[in-house]
Every structure is written in structure tokens, then in C-alpha cells.
Amino acid sequence: MSSQSEDHQNKRDQSNHQSSSSSDTNNNHQTPPPPSEPPNNQSPAHGYPPAMGYPPQMMYPNAPHPGYPPPPPHGYNHYPYTQPPPAFYYSQGYPSSQHDRCSGFARGIIAAMILLIVLSCLSSLITWAVLRPQIPVFHVDNMSVSNFNTSSTPFTATWDTNLTLENPNHKLRLYFDRIVGAMFYNEEDSLGSAWLNPIFMDTQTKTTIHAVISANGSAQNAVPIWLAQEMGKDRATGAVSFALRFRVWATFKSGSWWTRSLILRVLCDDLKVNFVGASGNGALSPGNRDDCEVYA
């Protein structure tokens, strides 16, 4: 019994061995061997599978380079803050157009100013070439002083002056609308003033004006005591120098098409008056005197 059972067991083991061998043979014919691993310098893009332990990479057209983050999806807010800045900072058309308008307006103003300056210069040159305006001439003919008293208070004196005025212009008439004259000591200390009558002068004419200026001792126009004492010292030497100044509001006219108004300053300085004896009367010393200085 034992031998039969052993034989039966051996046959069963052989049949199992044959069936396993045949199944192994069928499996070897159906399953291909795994491909060999690609070299390190080759990537899966060349047809080789990825290395073991790494997930396969999906390659898409226009895909970003490995190592860079993928682009955000459509509609995603690219600005890193919660709210994007106002659209004004992104629009380049409105500020540039406003800047262009301002620049064009400024250039227009500058061009207009330059044009006005050029036209004014041309007008002045044409006027000078055609009319040749000249300043009138003032000349002191004589001057006398009376009631000159520096010893008493208040100071008193009267200056009586004759002047010759000349209009040297060939095409311009002169209108002296207002004339005010003042007498000075040391060319800066005022002694008295007076207004003169208006004067009209035709082209290339001369006229004489009579100017009387007084220091009448009024409290309103009183001469300081120290100034009277200084003139008394000069009076003791026999002569005192005065300065006669005028301010003239003049108008130059050529018919009805050209008119110009000026304020003239006339300076007649170094008028030396000689006194005789102890009297308070004196006269301008004789000699050649230059014309007064006239400034426009």
C-alpha cells in the first residue's frame, strides 16, 4: 500500500512539473523582455522611457522650459496686489496728448512774443530812419539871486533864471505839457520849487522860458538851519554854487500818425552865483556855459 501511494504521488508531481514548465514556456513566448535603460545623456524626448523612480513627463507644444513656473490661466490677475492700479496709469494716450497740447500752446506764445519783439524793433528802426527824433536842448542864459539871507530864520532867497529851449527835429513838433523846476544846493539839498507854464515848439524853433523859484520861509517848505549855515559860509567867500533841475512831461508828434510821450530830466548844474559886498543880491558869473544835460 505504501509503495502504491508513493508511485501515485510521484506521477502527480511529474505532471505538475510538466504543466508548470509548459506555462513558463508560454509566458516566455508572450511577454517581451523589458527594454534596456537609456544612457544618462539622452532624455525621454528621444524615444526612451523615463528613468525608474520618476513620473513620466507630458510634453506639449510651446511648453515652458523645465524649471520655470507655468503661465497663469486665462483671466488670471497678473498684478501681485489685491487691486490693480487705476487705468489712468496704464493709458499712455491721454497724458501724452495733453502734454503735446500744452507744449504747442507754449511754443505758440513764445513765437508770438518773438514776432512782437521783431516787429517792434523794425518799427523803431523805420521810425528812427524816417523821423530821426532828437532830444530838445536846454541852455541857461542868465540867473540872478535876490533877498539871499542865511543869517536869519527862516532862510529866504529868490532865483530868477532865463533859459533858451531849442527843438532840433525836422519832422517832430514838441509839446511840453507840464514843467516843474527846483533849485538845489550841492546838487542834492532842495531849496525850493515852482511849476512853469506849458510850452509848444514847432520844428526847428527856439524859445525862452522864465523860471522864478523862491524860498519864502514857509513852514511847509522851510530850509534846515544847518543847510542855511553851510550856504552862509560859502557866501562869505563871495560865491555860492547852485543846481537847477527840471522835470518835463513832453510829447513828440509827427502829424497824426506818430506820437510818443516821454518824461525828460534836465540837469543844469554848477551854476556859480557871485555876491557883491554884504548885500543879498548876486548874479551868475560870466563865462561860457555848456548846455544842460537832458535824459529821457
Side-chain angles (χ1 to χ4, degrees):
M1 292 293 293
S2 61
S3 60
Q4 291 179 356
S5 60
E6 291 178 356
D7 293 336
H8 181 71
Q9 183 68 28
N10 291 332
K11 290 180 181 180
R12 188 168 51 184
D13 293 339
Q14 291 178 358
S15 61
N16 292 335
H17 178 72
Q18 290 177 359
S19 61
S20 63
S21 298
S22 63
S23 62
D24 292 336
T25 304
N26 294 330
N27 291 335
N28 291 335
H29 286 289
Q30 293 177 0
T31 305
S36 61
E37 183 177 354
N40 294 334
N41 59 352
Q42 293 181 356
S43 62
H46 293 80
Y48 295 95
M52 298 299 292
Y54 295 92
Q57 297 182 0
M58 302 299 293
M59 303 302 295
Y60 297 95
N62 300 328
H65 191 276
Y68 292 92
H74 181 70
Y76 184 79
N77 185 11
H78 297 267
Y79 199 74
Y81 299 100
T82 304
Q83 294 293 334
F88 174 79
Y89 294 96
Y90 290 100
S91 88
Q92 300 296 330
Y94 175 73
S96 61
S97 61
Q98 184 180 11
H99 177 72
D100 293 341
R101 286 196 299 269
C102 294
S103 300
F105 182 72
R107 289 193 295 268
I109 292 179
I110 294 175
M113 293 177 62
I114 294 175
L115 181 61
L116 288 176
I117 293 174
V118 172
L119 292 178
S120 178
C121 294
L122 290 176
S123 176
S124 299
L125 290 175
I126 294 173
T127 301
W128 182 85
V130 174
L131 300 179
R132 296 184 179 273
Q134 300 182 47
I135 298 297
V137 178
F138 289 73
H139 182 82
V140 176
D141 297 326
N142 56 71
M143 184 175 67
S144 61
V145 181
S146 60
N147 196 22
F148 187 81
N149 189 354
T150 60
S151 58
S152 63
T153 304
F155 167 78
T156 59
T158 300
W159 295 267
D160 193 333
T161 310
N162 292 320
L163 298 95
T164 298
L165 277 64
E166 179 182 359
N167 180 12
N169 293 282
H170 294 266
K171 299 180 180 181
L172 295 176
R173 295 175 296 174
L174 297 181
Y175 295 84
F176 297 151
D177 302 319
R178 292 187 297 169
I179 306 173
V180 58
M183 191 66 64
F184 291 84
Y185 173 72
N186 289 335
E187 299 182 0
E188 58 183 14
D189 299 315
S190 179
L191 302 176
S193 61
W195 287 89
L196 281 65
N197 294 325
I199 300 173
F200 165 73
M201 298 187 66
D202 207 343
T203 58
Q204 291 187 310
T205 58
K206 292 183 179 180
T207 187
T208 301
I209 61 173
H210 185 206
V212 178
I213 300 174
S214 299
N216 52 16
S218 63
Q220 184 178 1
N221 300 316
V223 175
I225 297 176
W226 65 267
L227 184 57
Q229 292 175 351
E230 291 293 329
M231 289 187 291
K233 293 178 183 179
D234 292 343
R235 166 68 180 81
T237 61
V240 182
S241 294
F242 300 99
L244 180 60
R245 309 282 178 85
F246 293 96
R247 183 179 291 269
V248 182
W249 285 259
T251 301
F252 296 71
K253 280 191 174 186
S254 177
S256 58
W257 69 276
W258 191 86
T259 301
R260 185 178 182 184
S261 297
L262 295 175
I263 297 179
L264 306 178
R265 294 184 300 119
V266 183
L267 310 180
C268 306
D269 298 336
D270 196 20
L271 301 176
K272 189 175 183 180
V273 176
N274 294 323
F275 291 90
V276 179
S279 66
N281 299 326
L284 191 64
S285 59
N288 294 328
R289 289 182 296 276
D290 296 332
D291 296 332
C292 301
E293 299 177 1
V294 182
Y295 300 93

